């Protein structure tokens, strides 16, 4: 079956941090843009002659709400042709060629084990979608731990929203972790020590990893070294 490409229209742009931007995209030829939390879309951007070098994929940051609009959060990568194009050329009203939703990085059914959502940077996008969906639909679940690693406090995405969600969604723990911030009273260092500390009793858990390759590779090694099976680990690799 051929992948269908659709034209998306950018309806809103918001700078979330100094190097990330939120994009709201409407797909006019669809009545509703249905997806599972954790899935992604792929853009065909006019940045190369070869098709496969024009394609860039981004996790959907919003939860499915029955409309034909979804949200992405994208980081401006130094020397990144795709993100440079999106930041410099795309305005409200711009059109983007896209296909999706795609991907199998989705919540297990049922949510019968503790869930560790481990991410860095814009890797929080699919987890925001998942957490909002669980809250919105009152999905029965075991405790959920969102461990979000960035360098500085100004890099935290959706911080106020996640704090609010931690108050409203029973069993949802938001654990921002900063590796370089000095005046920070929360967790410092890297994401790995946190889940290792929390799981010293080796209780059943599912691990979802999203972000850059180095973090994911290290997490996979450490989680398996703790005695978990590789089938407990799900990943979405960026970059």
């Amino acid at each position: 079956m051929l992948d269908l490409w659709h034209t998306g229209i950018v309806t809103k742009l918001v700078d979330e941090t100094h190097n990330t931007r939120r994009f709201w995209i409407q797909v006019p030829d669809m009545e509703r843009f249905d997806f599972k939390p954790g899935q992604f879309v792929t853009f065909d951007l006019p940045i190369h002659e070869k098709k496969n070098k024009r394609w860039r994929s981004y996790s959907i940051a919003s939860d499915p709400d029955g409309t034909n609009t979804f949200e992405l959060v994208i980081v401006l990568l130094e020397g990144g042709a795709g993100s440079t194009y999106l930041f410099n050329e795309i305005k409200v009203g711009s059109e983007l060629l896209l296909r999706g939703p795609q991907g199998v990085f989705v919540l297990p059914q049922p949510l019968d084990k503790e869930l560790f959502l481990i991410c860095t940077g814009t890797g929080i996008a699919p987890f925001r979608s998942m957490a909002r969906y669980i809250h919105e639909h009152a999905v029965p679940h075991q405790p959920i731990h969102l461990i979000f690693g960035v360098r500085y406090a100004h890099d935290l995405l959706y911080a106020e929203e996640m704090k609010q969600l931690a108050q409203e969604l029973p069993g949802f723990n938001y654990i921002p972790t900063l590796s370089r911030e000095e005046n920070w009273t929360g967790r410092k260092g890297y994401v790995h020590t946190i889940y290792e500390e929390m799981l010293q009793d080796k209780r059943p858990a599912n691990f979802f990893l999203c972000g850059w390759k180095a973090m994911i590779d290290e997490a996979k090694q450490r989680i398996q070294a703790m005695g978990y099976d590789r089938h407990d680990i799900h990943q979405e690799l960026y970059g």
Side-chain angles (χ1 to χ4, degrees), residues 131-178:
R132 285 171 59 117
Y133 179 84
I134 289 166
H135 182 41
E136 201 64 38
H137 297 271
V139 178
H141 62 89
Q142 298 297 312
I144 300 168
H145 313 282
L146 174 60
I147 305 171
F148 180 29
V150 292
R151 290 177 176 178
Y152 300 101
H154 66 234
D155 297 320
L156 286 169
L157 297 163
Y158 305 114
E160 292 311 312
E161 185 186 311
M162 290 301 117
K163 283 183 210 160
Q164 184 76 25
L165 199 55
Q167 292 176 348
E168 294 174 3
L169 178 58
F172 176 70
N173 301 305
Y174 169 56
I175 311 167
T177 310
L178 307 187

Side-chain angles (χ1 to χ4, degrees), residues 78-186:
E78 208 173 312
S83 62
T84 300
Y85 174 82
L86 290 168
F87 272 67
N88 292 349
E89 306 299 330
I90 296 302
K91 312 280 182 273
V92 170
S94 294
E95 294 187 348
L96 287 161
L97 197 58
L98 64 92
R99 71 174 180 197
Q102 298 165 286
V104 293
F105 187 69
V106 296
L107 288 166
Q109 305 284 349
L111 296 178
D112 54 1
K113 288 186 195 176
E114 262 183 72
L115 209 49
F116 283 78
L117 309 176
I118 302 160
C119 57
T120 47
T122 52
I124 193 174
F127 299 149
R128 177 187 185 236
S129 181
M130 291 174 183
R132 285 171 59 117
Y133 179 84
I134 289 166
H135 182 41
E136 201 64 38
H137 297 271
V139 178
H141 62 89
Q142 298 297 312
I144 300 168
H145 313 282
L146 174 60
I147 305 171
F148 180 29
V150 292
R151 290 177 176 178
Y152 300 101
H154 66 234
D155 297 320
L156 286 169
L157 297 163
Y158 305 114
E160 292 311 312
E161 185 186 311
M162 290 301 117
K163 283 183 210 160
Q164 184 76 25
L165 199 55
Q167 292 176 348
E168 294 174 3
L169 178 58
F172 176 70
N173 301 305
Y174 169 56
I175 311 167
T177 310
L178 307 187
S179 60
R180 297 195 184 171
E181 187 74 57
E182 290 183 9
N183 304 317
W184 173 251
T185 52

Side-chain angles (χ1 to χ4, degrees), residues 4 9 39 80 113 147 170 179 185 203 212 215-216 222:
L4 283 179
I9 296 175
Q39 289 191 303
K113 288 186 195 176
I147 305 171
S179 60
T185 52
R203 61 189 182 274
W212 301 110
M215 183 279 284
I216 288 182
R222 287 184 181 228

